[in-house]
Amino acid sequence: IVVCGDFHGEFGSVNTFLNKHPEIDTILQCGDFGYWPKYPIRTTLKNKTTQIFWCDGNHEDHEAIKKIVDSGEIQPVFQNVFYMPRGTVLVLPDFRKVLFMGGGLSIDKAYRIPGKSWFPEETITQKDIMNLPDDDIDIVISHTAPTEFNVIDRHLEFMKDPSRDALSYVFKKYRPKLWYFGHMHLFKQGIYSGCKWTCLSGINLGQQ
């Protein structure tokens, strides 16, 4: 099982990574997957046996993602590639439970077009919080990080993200042992209140 940061639609790089590592059974992906079904893509994911489970980031077509959620079924967007709605739990083969909680604020919002390349649904909502499961959670996969994680001291916009406050609630509710996220395009690790957290840089953005 491998956890990956932002893909940003660089599926050719993902294919190369999978070809080099055929032993990987599962990828848990931390958002900014690059889901833009209305636009042509250079290449699609060509994994045959690796299952990829991803949460939404801020750089996604959230109108298209809403159609996946409204269908009520977790269906593959590519072969063996599954979108995990906010609050969805995946049970690993060793019975650990993984909570997916996508969403995050775009610091480049001013340069994007509402309804085409930017969507207000990108941030975590109160409804998302109200729909959280009552379950024991071992691992959280999110796009951004709770405010408690001292991950970044640049880009004030990252600190203003209401999704980080929402994830603080998630942290207090579940107290997971492991937490993985991306969004900030850097690699950093830390421990907070018994939780080991990892910020992942992403495909073609440095160290995984």
Side-chain angles (χ1 to χ4, degrees), residues 73-174:
E73 299 178 3
I74 299 177
Q75 299 178 342
V77 296
F78 302 118
Q79 184 178 0
N80 293 323
V81 179
F82 301 89
Y83 168 65
M84 305 298 283
R86 297 172 190 176
T88 302
V89 176
L90 175 70
V91 181
L92 299 179
D94 63 3
F95 303 109
R96 285 183 297 173
K97 295 179 180 179
V98 182
L99 177 78
F100 287 80
M101 198 66 181
L105 181 72
S106 293
I107 65 172
D108 59 351
K109 173 182 172 181
Y111 306 101
R112 295 164 64 191
I113 303 171
K116 290 188 176 182
S117 58
W118 178 83
F119 303 89
E121 296 89 349
E122 68 180 13
T123 54
I124 299 172
T125 66
Q126 183 63 34
K127 182 179 179 181
D128 296 327
I129 294 298
M130 291 176 64
N131 288 335
L132 286 170
D134 290 323
D135 208 342
D136 293 326
I137 298 298
D138 303 290
I139 304 168
V140 173
I141 300 292
S142 63
H143 186 52
T144 188
T147 56
E148 291 84 355
F149 296 174
N150 183 24
V151 62
I152 196 164
D153 57 6
R154 60 186 176 90
H155 287 312
L156 184 60
E157 291 86 350
F158 280 130
M159 314 301 273
K160 296 178 179 178
D161 186 351
S163 296
R164 298 196 66 184
D165 294 324
L167 291 172
S168 293
Y169 176 86
V170 173
F171 177 80
K172 293 170 186 174
K173 179 178 176 66
Y174 297 113

Side-chain angles (χ1 to χ4, degrees), residues 43-104:
T43 183
T44 187
L45 279 169
K46 298 177 181 178
N47 60 306
K48 295 181 180 179
T49 59
T50 302
Q51 289 191 312
I52 299 176
F53 300 92
W54 60 281
C55 66
D56 54 291
N58 52 296
H59 290 137
E60 320 277 7
D61 184 337
H62 285 272
E63 288 183 354
I65 285 176
K66 186 176 184 300
K67 293 178 181 178
I68 299 175
V69 176
D70 290 346
S71 72
E73 299 178 3
I74 299 177
Q75 299 178 342
V77 296
F78 302 118
Q79 184 178 0
N80 293 323
V81 179
F82 301 89
Y83 168 65
M84 305 298 283
R86 297 172 190 176
T88 302
V89 176
L90 175 70
V91 181
L92 299 179
D94 63 3
F95 303 109
R96 285 183 297 173
K97 295 179 180 179
V98 182
L99 177 78
F100 287 80
M101 198 66 181

